[in-house]
Amino acid sequence: MNLFIKQRHWLYTCLGILSLCIVVTIKPARGASPVTSTPNSNPAPSASLLSTKSSNLLEQGRNLYQLGNFTEAVKVWQSATQHYRNYHDHLNESLSWSYLSLAQQELNQWEAAQESINNSLKILQAVQPAGDAMIWAQVLNTQASLQLQTGKAETAITTWQQAQKYYEQAGDTIGSLGTQINQAQALQNLGFYRRSKQQLESIAQKLALMPDSEIKLSGLRSLGLTLQIIGDIPKSQEVLTQSLAIAEKIGAKPHLSSILLHLGKSASELQDPQTALNYFDEVEQVATNPSEQLQGRLAQLKLFLNYNKPELAAPLAPQILKQLKELPPSHTSLYAAINFAATLNRENNPEKFLPLKDLGELMASTVKSAQQIQYAPAEAYALHQWGKLYIRTKQYAQAQKLAAKSLAIARQIHADDIIAQSAWQVGRLYKQQGNIPAAIDAYTEAVKALSALRGDLVAINADVQFSFRESVEPVYRELVGLLLEQQPTQDKLVKARDLIEALQVAELDNFFREACLDKAKQIDQVDPTATVIYPIILPDRLAVIISQSGQPLHYYVTSKTQGEIEQVLDKLLAGLNPVSDSKERDRISQQLYDWLIRPAEKDQIFKNTKTLVFVLDGKLRNIPMGGLYDGEKYLVEKYAIALSPGLQLMTAQSISSHRINAIVGGISQARSGFSALPAVEAEVKEIAKAVSSDMLLNQEFTSQALAENVKFSSASVVHLATHGQFSSRLEDTFLLTWDGKVNVKELSELLQNRGSDPSKAIELLVLSACDTATGDDRAVLGLAGLAVKSGARSTIATLWPVKDKAAATLMTNFYEQLRKPNITKAEALRQAQINLIRQTDFHDPFFWSGFVLVGNWF
């Protein structure tokens, strides 16, 4: 055959993520000409005439496709396939079938799209089994798109890898990059978000050197969406804004709605609802099809409900239901329906927005449609939401039937995210029936599925799974409650303790949007003179598990409601203010002491204990354990105190008094809107005198200077006296340097910048003058997260801002203690705190109890 050389080819790039799953639309690029051929037999027009006529047909289809008129594009490309068949032009017939499949995918005509791509491949395999690389690349690209949209993500990746090889064989860099973007999207569909991010960042570096184009736009948008999923919201917003500018510049209207939608979600995450709403309004205005318009309305509905504006949400719900009923079955429409039902199911009274009957009918229809297009994940999710509606109407038998069916499907497709939710639902129903053994089994399966997800937990179908506190934390807590009913056995106590540790780790994973801890070490391998205390706040009681080396677990329980317990904790925290009534504070502190410590002391469990290690739960994290009062002494006057996320401890060694080298940095002057800390200068200089140090003060304390000192110094201690904040929100946890805020992820990476040699790890990180976010019950997560993620084996920080003179006195004394032989870090901190209690005017718990040690205490 004589082949005409095309001037440009059609680019296949993915449009991105819509709703809950990755929905990829493959678009032809402008100005592309197809490969044409002259038949070997039968009378035919001249090559030039055939090329012109073919080009006109395919160009017409392309223009219709670009305008979103997929139905007319189908008609034109069907004519093109017939035209090529008449002239025995097999290669272009194959290519036409491939283009036809693209348009049919846009129309959710899955069976027709599959038949079209099968026809394309059949022709190509017959006439060009090892033929033209470009045609093979384009056809395989279409096939992979269809595979992804029909739930075959792993197969799609393999097909795109084949397409990539053909593009590279043809010398087409742009085509190769397009398939790599598609592969990254498919990786996300499988839950491999970090792998996807790495691939997209590599692609973005290459695209940065290229002029603005659809392929560059697609790569940036895909990277922006991935960053959003894994929680790097500011960076996501920056990348998405770049992609929006390119889309507007090159007139890529079909891309706009997806970018605007996710910019709106970023604004919502950054707690800017008005900006988010503006973006969602724009989505509706620029949408090129009803599905895109629906995404904008769904996002508005969720925004209104999240910000407690039911009066604005109510008119939207019937509109969305009407739109959902009009959409043909597809991944996008199925997940949109599930998203809608899940959003309303979160509300205490969804009937304020729609009758439950209507929602039930929608989920029944969604299940049927999912079966029709053979998409099991959507079927399982829809059954799960449908079951929730039956629970609301107390039709438990029907709810259990649907939940069990959802779980069975999830098991078949090995979907841990769906297993976690459906098994939890089954467990709750068994618990409601009083079948505790069956409930424990179901809850255990849910926890196992959550553990399997680890770092990708928060990134799995975010629109359905909602928040960690709503969909993950309760599973662990409710199972712990079941295990600790009445008089638990040692086996159940061990399982409950392990669950609380697993919950702590899951919370840290959630905070960083990635797995944090992988090493585990039993406490008796770390320090046989330490006792670990696990207080667990349950709805109807405060449970305390105590673990010691080589001993059975001990268990104590106080029958108080969660509300009563948290009220005591709130009062104690408020009472730690030095202007509060000290007698009332001591009374409340003694009450908590009686719950957590007194029973074990009476049983002489702490007889040989030097260090108490607390694995704290919920609001207890905000309470300084060392400040608990027994009526005569504070707890820190009896034992060294440490906090830990559990037995997940890194190997460590005591700091030798002969080899303490420190990097000491701080800011004493007012900076970046933060007040001056006058005593910091004295603190930094005193510590520098006490131990061998590299000092960075004020202008010298920049992020770059700190990074260089950490990287090139052999210092075992890093002491930073500056403003900072711990929060349960990753983006609100930071440390202040002279040149601005350093967020917790940047700080953790900076502190880890010593290579992989464990001997070079930082033994002790001290954060003086930091604060926890006001009103944030989970703010200490930021402290625990930094302590774990930084790679520092121990971290000392403050739970609240302490008068800088008191902090300087305590810290100076701490280093003096640390230089003594055979002293642990926890004991050195204890002695420094006792010094403030007994030798200074700072004897009130406010001044010393906020200093806590997290991690290894020796």
Side-chain angles (χ1 to χ4, degrees), residues 20 335 338 342 346 377 380-385 388 391 402-404 406-407 410 415-429 442-443 445-450 453 457 460-467 470-472 475 478:
L20 314 180
Y335 273 119
I338 296 164
R346 291 178 70 195
Y381 264 126
L383 286 164
H384 173 70
Q385 292 298 333
K388 281 188 172 183
I391 291 173
L402 294 173
S406 172
L407 181 56
D416 285 322
D417 54 325
I418 307 175
I419 289 172
Q421 295 181 78
S422 296
W424 179 29
Q425 193 174 51
V426 169
R428 279 186 154 181
L429 289 163
Y443 271 97
E445 183 176 8
V447 167
K448 184 179 178 182
L450 290 172
L453 295 172
L457 196 57
I460 301 291
N461 287 344
D463 287 325
V464 163
Q465 191 163 328
F466 298 111
S467 75
E470 292 176 8
S471 300
V472 178
V475 184
E478 289 168 22

Side-chain angles (χ1 to χ4, degrees), residues 73-355:
V74 164
K75 293 177 182 178
V76 171
W77 282 330
Q78 283 173 336
S79 297
T81 60
Q82 185 64 48
H83 171 80
Y84 284 124
R85 186 183 303 119
N86 290 341
Y87 288 102
H88 302 280
D89 185 348
H90 302 299
L91 287 182
N92 275 312
E93 183 186 354
S94 171
L95 200 56
S96 298
W97 281 115
S98 176
Y99 297 158
L100 179 58
S101 178
L102 286 178
Q104 289 165 333
Q105 290 175 44
E106 292 282 1
L107 294 169
N108 306 313
Q109 297 172 356
W110 307 113
E111 290 183 9
Q114 186 64 61
E115 183 179 351
S116 294
I117 197 62
N118 287 346
N119 287 339
S120 177
L121 287 164
K122 184 177 179 181
I123 295 167
L124 201 53
Q125 288 162 354
V127 299
Q128 283 278 324
D132 187 88
M134 187 59 69
I135 294 181
W136 270 104
Q138 294 180 3
V139 172
L140 288 170
N141 221 336
T142 302
Q143 183 188 30
S145 167
L146 181 59
Q147 289 166 342
L148 185 65
Q149 295 193 82
T150 52
K152 304 178 183 71
E154 290 181 351
T155 308
I157 289 174
T158 301
T159 305
W160 266 315
Q161 287 170 343
Q162 293 172 347
Q164 182 183 344
K165 289 178 181 176
Y166 277 116
Y167 274 124
E168 289 168 356
Q169 184 179 327
D172 188 339
T173 303
I174 297 295
S176 173
L177 287 171
T179 58
Q180 290 174 54
I181 293 170
N182 289 336
Q183 290 170 54
Q185 295 282 48
L187 284 170
Q188 291 181 35
N189 206 32
L190 292 168
F192 300 127
Y193 296 94
R194 252 144 289 285
R195 280 176 56 189
S196 175
K197 177 195 171 192
Q198 290 169 359
Q199 185 158 328
L200 287 166
E201 285 179 333
S202 174
I203 294 168
Q205 290 177 1
K206 299 172 185 175
L207 291 173
L209 305 174
M210 298 180 180
D212 292 341
S213 63
E214 285 200 29
I215 191 75
K216 186 172 184 177
L217 160 64
S218 185
L220 286 172
R221 188 199 47 217
S222 297
L223 175 58
L225 302 191
T226 306
L227 289 166
Q228 185 179 80
I229 288 172
I230 64 176
D232 192 346
I233 306 302
K235 183 64 176 175
S236 167
Q237 196 170 44
E238 178 186 329
V239 174
L240 287 171
T241 301
Q242 289 177 30
S243 68
L244 179 64
I246 294 173
E248 291 172 339
K249 178 181 177 181
I250 66 175
K253 188 176 179 181
H255 294 269
L256 289 175
S257 63
S258 173
I259 299 171
L260 290 166
L261 179 70
H262 289 281
L263 276 169
K265 290 182 177 181
S266 291
S268 181
E269 283 279 339
L270 294 172
Q271 300 182 343
D272 185 358
Q274 186 56 56
T275 299
L277 184 59
N278 293 340
Y279 279 126
F280 296 150
D281 284 339
E282 279 193 78
V283 171
E284 285 198 72
Q285 294 169 19
V286 305
T288 58
N289 58 60
S291 179
E292 292 176 357
Q293 186 184 59
L294 176 62
Q295 295 301 322
R297 287 187 176 173
L298 277 170
Q300 287 182 46
L301 176 73
K302 192 171 179 181
L303 183 73
F304 291 145
L305 293 177
N306 285 346
Y307 283 89
N308 195 28
K309 297 289 182 182
E311 70 280 4
L312 298 176
L316 276 178
Q319 297 174 27
I320 292 171
L321 180 64
K322 183 175 182 294
Q323 279 185 283
L324 286 167
K325 289 180 177 179
E326 293 170 353
L327 288 176
S330 70
H331 285 204
T332 307
S333 64
L334 293 178
Y335 273 119
I338 296 164
N339 181 4
F340 178 59
T343 299
L344 294 183
N345 248 337
R346 291 178 70 195
E347 298 299 302
N348 291 329
N349 183 15
E351 288 194 281
K352 288 190 300 185
F353 309 99
L354 277 179

Side-chain angles (χ1 to χ4, degrees), residues 668 677-688 697 808 812:
S668 63
L677 297 169
V680 161
E681 183 170 354
E683 176 183 340
V684 168
K685 290 179 177 178
E686 285 298 318
I687 294 169
L697 183 63
T812 302

